[in-house]
Every structure is written in C-alpha cells, then in structure tokens.
Amino acid sequence: MGSLFRSAEMTLCQLFLQSEAAYACVSELGELGLVQFRDLNPDVNAFQRKFVNEVRRCDEMERKLRYLEKEIKKDGIPMLDTGENPEAPQPREMIDLEATFEKLENELREVNQNAEALKRNFLELTELKQILRKTQVFFDEADRGGSAQMADPAREEEQVTLLGEEGLRAGGQALKLGFVAGVILRERIPAFERMLWRACRGNVFLRQAEIETPLEDPSTGDQVFKSVFIIFFQGDQLKTRVKKICEGFRATLYPCPEAPADRREMAMGVMTRIEDLNTVLGQTQDHRHRVLVAAAKNIKNWFVKVRKIKAIYHTLNLFNLDVTQKCLIAECWVPVLDLENIQLALRRGTERSGSSVPPILNKMETCEDPPTYNHTNKFTTAFQALIDSYGIASYREMNPAPYTIITFPFLFAVMFGDCGHGLLMALFAGWMVLKEKPLAAKKSDNEIWNIFFGGRYIILLMGVFSIYTGLIYNDMFSKSLNIFGSQWRVNNVTEEQAINMLDTHMLDPATKDFLGYPYVIGMDPVWQLAKNKIIFQNAYKMKISIILGVFHMLFGVALSLCNHRYFKNKVNIFCEFIPQVIFLTFLFLYMVSLMFMKWIMFFATLDLPGDEDGDFRRGPQCAPSILITFINMVLFKESKIVEGCDETMYPGQMFVQKFLVITALLCVPWMLLAKPIYIMRTRSQKAVHTQMQQATENGDAEQALANNTQAAAPHGATGGHDDNEEMSEIFIHQGIHTIEYVLGSVSHTASYLRLWALSLAHAQLSEVLWNMVLSKGLIIDDWRGGIVLYVIFSFWACLTVSILVLMEGLSAFLHTLRLHWVEFQSKFYSGLGHAFQPFSFELILDTASQGDAE
C-alpha cells in the first residue's frame, strides 16, 4: 500500500544481455510488465536499426492476419477466443508462422479469384438468359413492324422513323433492321434513353424490360438491379454510334440470334452451363468456408504471438551493441521493490535460451526525475485515472487517489442526495461489478459504455453514499420516509395534500407543535409539507457545505506537510505551511466554529432547558448572522445588536476576532517574503564561504574542512528552487503563489457552496417531476386510474432516469471533480511528473484490441 499513498521508489538500471539470450529475456520481462526501457539510439533512424528486418517481417505477418480476419468476418464465422495468453514464440518459430500465413493467404486469394471468375461467368450467363427470355416479345414486334410488309396505318410513323420515306417507297424490296441487345443498370436507363434519342436524332427504336431479381456484382458482392434492352436501327453508321453510347454507359452487350430456333437452342445451352456453374460455385464456397473455419480457430492466438514478437524486436531496437557485437546493453527504470522479480525473470529467459552467460543488472546513479508508478488494482484504477487526468504526480509526491476513494463519492452524494436515485445508480453499478468478467470479455467499442464500465466501482460508491445522504435529507423521489414518526403535531393534512405536497404549514420550533426532540435520523418528514421548507434546508445545507469545504481544504494543506517532511524541505514548512495553516484556520475555521457555537448556544424557544425564567438573550431574535459577523470581523466593524441581546457570543469575542484577523494578515507578508529572503541569505553565505575556501586553498586542509562543515547549507535550504535560478524569478514565483493562496482561500471556500446549490436544484427538480407528472396519475379513483398511472409512471420513470440520474448525476460528477482538482489538490499536488510506461505484453495487447474494435 506504500506505493498507493506515494508513488513507488524507482531506480535506473543498466542491463547487459548476451545476444542469444536477449530475445528470451525481453520476452520474460514483457510478461512481467515492470520494466521501462530507455531509447539508447535516439539519433538512429528507425530503418537503420539492427532488428528492422524482423520488425518488417512481423508487419507482413500482421497484414496477412488482418486479411484473414477480414475474410472471416465477411463470412460471419465466429472467431474462437479461449482467453489464453500464449507465450512469445522463439525466433526460429517465426519461419513456421510465416510459411503458415503465406500458405493460407495464397490459398484464400486463389479461391477468391476463382470464385470471382466463376461469379462473373455466372452473371454473364444469367444476363444472357434474361436477354433471351425478355427479347422474345421485342423480336415479335420487330417482325411485325420492321419488315417491308408492315401495312398497319398505326405503325406508319414508326416505319417512317426507322426506314425513312425512301424505304417505304421501295415497295416490294424487303429492308431489314439491325439490332443490339444487352443489360444496363436500372438507374441509368433514363439518361441512356435520352442520349440515344439525341445522338441518333430519333432514328433508333429502344425497348427495355426490368430484371425482377437483383444480381450480385462479382467485384464488390453488392446486389444490383439491372434492365434488359434491345435497340433497333438501320445502317452501319447508327450501329457504330449505338455501340459507343452503350460502351459509355457501361452497358454489357450480348450476341442474340435473330431466328427463334437459334434463340431456343442458345437458351438451352445457357441453362445447362448455369447448372454446372452452380455446382462448381457451391464446391468453391465450401472449400473457402473450410479454410476460414480452420483459420478462425487459431487467429486470435496468432495475433497475440505476432504482436509479442513485434514488441520484443521493437524493444531490442532500443538497445546498444557492445564493441564485440556479442552483448546487448540496455537502460531501464524499474521499481526497487520488484528488483528480485525482475532478476528471476531474467534467469528464466536465460535458461529458455540455453545461454550459459547470466544477465547483469546494475543500478545507476542519475540526476533525471524517475517516472511515477502507482500500484493499482481493478478497484483503485478508476480513482487513480481521475487523478492522472489532471496531471501525473511528481516522483514520490503524495498521491490523492486513496483519499479520493472516500471524499469523491461523499461530496458527490451531498449534491445528489436521494435514496431512490442513489439506489438506481447502485443497482446498475452492482450489476456491472457482478458481471464484470463476461462484460469485459465482450470488449465493446461503445465509448460511453466503456466509460461507465471502467468507473463501475466509482458509480457503486457514489450510489451507496447517495443513499446515505438521502436518508439524512429524508428524500426519496421527493418524498419522505416516515419510519420513526414525526416530532411535530401537524393535524388536518388531507390525502390530496400529502400526495401533492401542498405547502400548508409553517413550522416554528418556538410553538407547541414541536415536541422538543429531533427526528432520529436526518430531517423530520413533516418538512415536506412546510411552507418554510426551502428556508430551513437552505440554511442547513449552506452551512454544511462551508463546513465540509473548510475541513477538506485543511486536509489538503495538511498533506502538503507530508510532502515537505518527506523531501526534508524545512524552508517550505516554516515559510509556507505554517502561515497557510494559520491564515486558513484563523479566518475560515473560526467562521466554522461560530456556526457550531450558534447551533449550541441559541434556541428556537425562549425558555432554556432547566431555566424556568428563560433567557431572552439566547432566543432566536438574538441569534447573529454568521456571514455578517464574519464580514464585520474582517472589516473591524461592530455588528448591530438587537436591544436586550448580548453584543457577543462569548466573552472577549471582539478582541479575539481582531487578534485573529491581524495575525492572518501578517501571514501574507510571511508567505510572500520569508522564503525568498532566506534563500537570498543562504546564497550570500555560500558565496562568502567559497571565497574563504579559495583563500585557504593552500593552507591547512583540516581548517578548510571545518569551515566547509560550518558554512554548508542544510538539506532543502533552497525550498525546491534551483541554485542557478535568479532571485527576481524566485520573488515573482513566491508572489504568484501567495496571491493565489490568499485569494483562492476565499474563492475556494465560496466554491464549496456548489454542494448546497446542486443539492437544492436536485431536490427541486425531483419535486417538480413528482408534482407535474406522477401525482397526476394518483388522483383518479376508478378503474381508469390504473391504466393512466401505468402510462404516467412509464413517462415519469424515463424522465427520472434520463434527467435526474444521468444528467444531474453527470453534473454533480463534474462539480465534484472540480472540487478535487482545484480546491483540494491545489494545496499540495503539483502534478508535474511523467507516467511509468513499462514494457508489458498485457498493455500492448489491450491497446491493439481496442484499435481493432474501433
């Protein structure tokens, strides 16, 4: 758990591997996933590195696998995913994998080419069959109207158009029409017909008929609709023009005999060939299916193996070769606590490779900032992701994630306090938690679903905490849970008033309606029927928001002390932490203490318990406004006191308040000047000591050593600033930090009022939804009420889930995120680190699977 509260301790190591054992050792480290390698060849082009050929071979194998996967998905064959994680194959196994993939690809491409050629022949025969069938009517009409014996007056216009007046005057000389027949896409028919008419000036006769069933395009596999056409014309010139137009519209022309006997004979031959093609196509598809089914059983494991091989060679390209070309040298960041596991993995890799030279892992000293690594599990991963999305923690800096596990769902629940809505959220998250293994195995590519599933434990805690705060607010779908009975005497409440929550009562604790004992848990249910409900809840939730906010910020300042102590930065403790705590405590924590004092010292009734005469000065009319008191305290003004009331809440209050304000104001120059002045004096002492050391360089060595010991600055004397940083920059940086903290203390405290505002808005939206929707179905008494209530409840449930749970939940989530990122983490968290990115097969395969899903 140490690395959860603070990032794991890291060390830079140098690794020496024998060339023969390097592959197996890196493979074992990839399975372990605890080593981040550095690139020792940053200036070497990717195409000039040692193992670039192996990487290219892996890319080629991956391409072939993607081709197989695409063909498998095209046929709808399920790919078997056993969940196994095969080890990375040995380098000699790459040849067998390449041969297997090459054979499968060639066989599949050959089958696809043959199938495409067969489908193209089948399409041509099918179109020819349709032409022979559809054009029979066309030829009958041509025989009747195209010969010289056409004597029907109704066809005279067509005869003049096709044969011309000279042809008609030819008398007994028989003139015959030429024709072409073919198939064209149905959507091109109108444009095709217009082009023929214009180009041939009306000297052609076009007939077309639609093919009812769609035809398959061999190239794309799409279903297309086509039409059969036949064009009658006279002369070779028109024939050439018609064929060019057909070619331009990508129409397919087929030979069609003019004699009926020839057409029948050709049709019989076409039908025979179609039957033979169907048989061959079926056998081809069966063979293709068998090949793909066999590949689908292993393709997942093949992908894993190839990606592991590729990752290993990518990593080996980061290494350096020694002068003998027999040893690979690497540098890597590793967690100190996992050094033993890494050594064991290296030994296993050496044994697998059969090498007799053990690997060498040496620690190195470096001035670089190590990467930040926090151990997480499936529960803490989501909370750590919330923190990392703001910024990766600096090395060994306090990690806010473990505290966020409690504070995040609790502050969310303060804004989302409703037992019913919290129960819906908890049930949904609980279902995802119980079914997390099968749901995770589906690997959905829906981004919204992946966000919900990744944060299932956050949603579960938010729902549970919302149920708790809903009990405190006594609010469940805008209705109260009257479990323990009311502590108020409120009579004459009708059923209709209770259903519609009519504001009919003004609750005043000073009256005899209040029994004198509070409700057992949370708010009394009778407040739902009170006219002054909003006034009471506003005062209650506003003060609770400020109290939670001040304690949350103080906790953040306290965590900064942990950082200063760990880094042994005493300057920041005395020059930043102490004045920050004093400023926040003397002003805002004092305001919180006044709230508790007001709750304890002032009573709604005029008579105090145990005091028969009562104490007018502790009555409700003498209760001071905490906000006005705080403002007057900062402005050194006295509050206006009601006649007969005490001027102060406790003896010496005015003196104490002046002392607190003056002390808090003195903390501002303390934060602003103390640290830069201390750094400036420390640097002056160092300069004087350096001059003295140079003057005594040829003198007594022991005396010089003593001077060095006495004048040396303590650890952390620079307060986190570089010795070469100019003093002007230090003064500017400290000024910005001071202004940010002082003004931020005021704005951050006010920012926590969002807890009150969103809680009030959520409760009011829930109440409006009840009054305007669901209550309308509860006022009908007869049998129709059940039907109406069923419909209205469905509508109300949809609005509740979509608006109050999803939209309001998202709003409260974002506001809670802001309170943690800005108001809480700004007190101690710099977030200037860089994440630990280990060489891990698990991470590589997860990233690849997400890319495949997209």
Side-chain angles (χ1 to χ4, degrees):
M1 293 297 289
S3 62
L4 179 63
F5 291 96
R6 197 182 294 277
S7 61
E9 187 177 357
M10 308 294 292
T11 182
L12 182 64
C13 294
Q14 193 172 33
L15 179 62
F16 296 89
L17 297 173
Q18 189 183 9
S19 298
E20 292 78 8
Y23 181 93
C25 290
V26 172
S27 174
E28 290 292 335
L29 294 178
E31 298 290 350
L32 192 62
L34 291 173
V35 177
Q36 176 181 335
F37 292 99
R38 300 172 64 188
D39 189 1
L40 300 183
N41 308 295
D43 300 326
V44 179
N45 191 290
F47 301 100
Q48 297 175 344
R49 302 201 178 193
K50 179 176 176 58
F51 300 98
V52 64
N53 291 328
E54 286 77 2
V55 173
R56 285 175 176 170
R57 290 167 61 190
C58 293
D59 287 335
E60 181 64 18
M61 287 192 290
E62 206 168 6
R63 182 195 62 78
K64 294 174 182 177
L65 287 177
R66 284 196 298 268
Y67 171 72
L68 291 174
E69 185 183 33
K70 183 182 73 173
E71 296 296 321
I72 290 171
K73 289 181 178 179
K74 184 187 295 184
D75 280 21
I77 301 173
M79 291 180 287
L80 182 62
D81 188 2
T82 59
E84 298 179 0
N85 186 18
E87 294 183 353
Q90 294 298 318
R92 58 181 175 272
E93 296 181 32
M94 280 184 64
I95 301 175
D96 297 335
L97 288 175
E98 286 178 314
T100 302
F101 301 158
E102 183 74 21
K103 178 183 176 182
L104 281 173
E105 185 191 26
N106 291 338
E107 185 176 2
L108 195 57
R109 288 191 182 278
E110 184 178 357
V111 169
N112 287 342
Q113 290 173 359
N114 293 336
E116 185 177 348
L118 291 173
K119 286 180 180 179
R120 185 172 288 107
N121 292 337
F122 180 79
L123 176 65
E124 293 174 354
L125 291 174
T126 305
E127 291 177 348
L128 181 57
K129 181 185 73 173
Q130 293 291 337
I131 287 175
L132 295 174
R133 180 180 301 172
K134 299 286 184 183
T135 55
Q136 182 63 41
V137 179
F138 302 156
F139 279 111
D140 293 341
E141 293 179 357
D143 290 339
R144 290 195 305 269
S147 66
Q149 298 159 356
M150 267 194 234
D152 190 358
R155 307 299 298 271
E156 184 177 355
E157 183 178 352
E158 292 183 5
Q159 295 177 42
V160 171
T161 302
L162 291 174
L163 302 177
E165 296 180 357
E166 296 180 357
L168 289 176
R169 288 196 298 266
Q173 184 178 1
L175 295 177
K176 300 187 66 176
L177 296 176
F179 69 91
V180 292
V183 176
I184 191 172
L185 290 176
R186 189 177 298 177
E187 60 267 19
R188 295 177 181 172
I189 284 290
F192 181 60
E193 191 171 1
R194 286 194 300 270
M195 180 60 71
L196 281 173
W197 178 263
R198 292 174 182 174
C200 300
R201 299 181 181 181
N203 293 320
V204 295
F205 183 61
L206 170 69
R207 297 299 303 273
Q208 59 92 15
E210 296 179 352
I211 301 176
E212 294 80 5
T213 57
L215 304 176
E216 181 182 356
D217 188 344
S219 301
T220 61
D222 298 333
Q223 299 291 327
V224 294
F225 290 90
K226 294 187 176 184
S227 295
V228 172
F229 67 87
I230 185 169
I231 304 171
F232 295 98
F233 52 83
Q234 183 184 15
D236 294 336
Q237 185 177 2
L238 281 179
K239 180 178 181 180
T240 304
R241 193 175 301 177
V242 167
K243 285 188 175 182
K244 286 184 178 180
I245 295 173
C246 293
E247 183 181 354
F249 279 85
R250 296 183 182 179
T252 307
L253 300 180
Y254 290 94
C256 182
E258 185 175 358
D262 294 340
R263 287 198 297 271
R264 283 194 297 270
E265 183 179 356
M266 179 178 286
M268 293 176 61
V270 168
M271 294 300 297
T272 304
R273 292 175 61 189
I274 287 178
E275 292 177 0
D276 295 341
L277 273 178
N278 276 326
T279 304
V280 177
L281 269 174
Q283 295 175 352
T284 304
Q285 292 297 333
D286 290 342
H287 178 64
R288 167 188 161 87
H289 187 75
R290 287 193 298 271
V291 172
L292 293 178
V293 168
K297 295 179 181 179
N298 301 313
I299 192 166
K300 291 290 185 181
N301 287 344
W302 286 341
F303 265 118
V304 172
K305 291 180 179 180
V306 171
R307 283 166 178 164
K308 284 187 176 182
I309 297 172
K310 184 178 177 181
I312 292 172
Y313 282 116
H314 263 301
T315 304
L316 290 174
N317 276 332
L318 305 178
F319 296 4
N320 261 341
L321 280 170
D322 68 337
V323 292
T324 62
Q325 301 289 316
K326 295 182 179 180
C327 180
L328 289 172
I329 305 172
E331 292 182 4
C332 53
W333 291 105
V334 298
V336 174
L337 296 178
D338 294 314
L339 276 173
E340 185 176 352
N341 294 331
I342 294 170
Q343 295 278 15
L344 292 175
L346 291 173
R347 292 196 194 101
R348 289 196 301 269
T350 305
E351 293 172 359
R352 281 179 53 192
S353 64
S355 174
S356 59
V357 180
I360 301 173
L361 187 67
N362 295 328
K363 289 185 179 181
M364 299 174 61
E365 296 294 333
T366 180
C367 297
E368 295 183 24
D369 292 332
T372 301
Y373 175 49
N374 296 105
H375 286 286
T376 56
N377 51 37
K378 64 180 182 180
F379 176 73
T380 59
T381 297
F383 294 96
Q384 190 65 54
L386 289 179
I387 303 302
D388 292 344
S389 58
Y390 174 78
I392 305 298
S394 301
Y395 178 64
R396 301 295 288 169
E397 186 180 33
M398 285 297 296
N399 183 22
Y403 315 106
T404 305
I405 294 174
I406 299 299
T407 59
F408 190 92
F410 177 72
L411 292 182
F412 170 88
V414 173
M415 294 182 275
F416 196 75
D418 189 292
C419 291
H421 301 152
L423 182 62
L424 293 176
M425 189 176 292
L427 289 176
F428 174 63
W431 171 77
M432 288 192 293
V433 170
L434 292 176
K435 301 289 186 179
E436 63 181 9
K437 288 186 178 180
L439 291 175
K442 291 183 178 179
K443 296 180 180 179
S444 173
D445 57 348
N446 190 306
E447 187 175 357
I448 297 178
W449 164 255
N450 290 334
I451 292 174
F452 280 124
F453 183 71
R456 58 193 179 278
Y457 289 101
I458 300 180
I459 299 174
L460 178 62
L461 287 181
M462 291 192 304
V464 172
F465 275 77
S466 296
I467 295 174
Y468 165 74
T469 53
L471 291 175
I472 298 300
Y473 297 155
N474 204 345
D475 194 359
M476 183 171 184
F477 299 121
S478 79
K479 300 295 289 182
S480 296
L481 298 173
N482 194 356
I483 301 174
F484 303 100
S486 176
Q487 297 299 319
W488 293 76
R489 292 191 187 93
V490 180
N491 300 320
N492 301 325
V493 179
T494 65
E495 181 180 354
E496 183 180 356
Q497 291 172 342
I499 291 176
N500 295 316
M501 294 193 304
L502 299 177
D503 299 329
T504 57
H505 296 277
M506 176 69 73
L507 299 185
D508 186 359
T511 63
K512 295 182 180 180
D513 291 340
F514 184 55
L515 301 180
Y517 300 97
Y519 193 66
V520 177
I521 297 177
M523 293 183 181
D524 198 293
V526 79
W527 281 106
Q528 291 288 356
L529 300 174
K531 288 183 180 180
N532 56 336
K533 176 183 71 171
I534 298 298
I535 299 175
F536 169 72
Q537 289 184 345
N538 275 355
Y540 169 73
K541 293 181 178 179
M542 188 187 302
K543 290 181 175 64
I544 288 296
S545 301
I546 296 298
I547 292 170
L548 294 176
V550 171
F551 280 106
H552 198 213
M553 291 189 295
L554 276 172
F555 180 60
V557 176
L559 290 179
S560 68
L561 175 63
C562 299
N563 279 333
H564 300 329
R565 291 186 61 186
Y566 178 81
F567 294 113
K568 299 179 181 179
N569 200 336
K570 296 181 180 179
V571 178
N572 285 350
I573 295 177
F574 291 102
C575 299
E576 289 185 357
F577 169 73
I578 294 177
Q580 286 177 358
V581 171
I582 292 175
F583 183 85
L584 196 59
T585 302
F586 281 15
L587 291 181
F588 299 99
L589 187 60
Y590 175 74
M591 180 177 63
V592 171
S593 66
L594 290 180
M595 295 179 186
F596 284 101
M597 292 175 65
K598 180 178 178 180
W599 285 339
I600 296 172
M601 297 175 62
F602 293 90
F603 294 84
T605 57
L606 299 181
D607 294 333
L608 288 173
D611 189 354
E612 297 180 358
D613 298 332
D615 189 351
F616 178 78
R617 293 172 297 178
R618 290 294 179 258
Q621 61 270 39
C622 290
S625 170
I626 301 300
L627 179 60
I628 299 301
T629 302
F630 181 73
I631 293 174
N632 290 333
M633 164 187 164
V634 176
L635 298 178
F636 297 100
K637 291 174 60 178
E638 294 185 1
S639 303
K640 295 182 179 180
I641 305 299
V642 179
E643 184 178 354
C645 298
D646 285 344
E647 296 182 357
T648 58
M649 298 175 65
Y650 60 91
Q653 179 179 351
M654 300 304 297
F655 172 77
V656 171
Q657 290 182 167
K658 291 180 180 179
F659 171 76
L660 294 178
V661 174
I662 293 173
T663 306
L665 293 177
L666 289 176
C667 290
V668 177
W670 186 358
M671 287 185 283
L672 181 64
L673 301 174
K675 182 177 176 180
I677 291 175
Y678 180 82
I679 293 175
M680 186 167 56
R681 290 187 60 187
T682 303
R683 289 184 177 181
S684 299
Q685 292 177 1
K686 283 185 178 181
V688 172
H689 169 68
T690 302
Q691 293 177 359
M692 294 176 60
Q693 190 175 16
Q694 291 176 353
T696 59
E697 187 175 6
N698 297 324
D700 190 356
E702 294 182 358
Q703 183 64 30
L705 181 61
N707 292 337
N708 185 24
T709 304
Q710 293 174 2
H715 183 75
T718 59
H721 292 275
D722 190 1
D723 290 338
N724 297 325
E725 188 174 359
E726 296 183 2
M727 285 305 305
S728 60
E729 294 182 0
I730 294 177
F731 272 102
I732 293 173
H733 178 272
Q734 194 65 22
I736 294 173
H737 183 71
T738 303
I739 294 172
E740 180 184 9
Y741 181 82
V742 173
L743 297 181
S745 298
V746 180
S747 63
H748 292 176
T749 304
S751 182
Y752 279 92
L753 289 174
R754 69 185 69 238
L755 299 175
W756 152 63
L758 267 77
S759 175
L760 179 64
H762 185 80
Q764 290 303 305
L765 279 174
S766 182
E767 186 174 341
V768 167
L769 200 58
W770 176 280
N771 290 333
M772 297 186 65
V773 181
L774 190 59
S775 63
K776 304 301 181 183
L778 300 174
I779 58 179
I780 303 176
D781 296 331
D782 55 8
W783 60 271
R784 293 173 299 177
I787 300 175
V788 174
L789 181 60
Y790 179 82
V791 177
I792 290 180
F793 176 80
S794 302
F795 183 59
W796 173 81
C798 292
L799 292 178
T800 298
V801 173
S802 61
I803 296 177
L804 294 180
V805 177
L806 291 178
M807 293 181 62
E808 281 287 311
L810 178 61
S811 175
F813 179 89
L814 294 176
H815 283 283
T816 309
L817 198 62
R818 182 244 155 78
L819 289 177
H820 281 78
W821 280 357
V822 179
E823 279 72 22
F824 174 57
Q825 291 177 197
S826 64
K827 303 295 186 296
F828 68 97
Y829 187 75
S830 60
L832 299 177
H834 56 282
F836 178 61
Q837 297 176 337
F839 170 62
S840 170
F841 287 146
E842 182 179 1
L843 295 177
I844 293 171
L845 295 176
D846 287 344
T847 304
S849 62
Q850 292 175 4
D852 293 341
E854 294 175 358

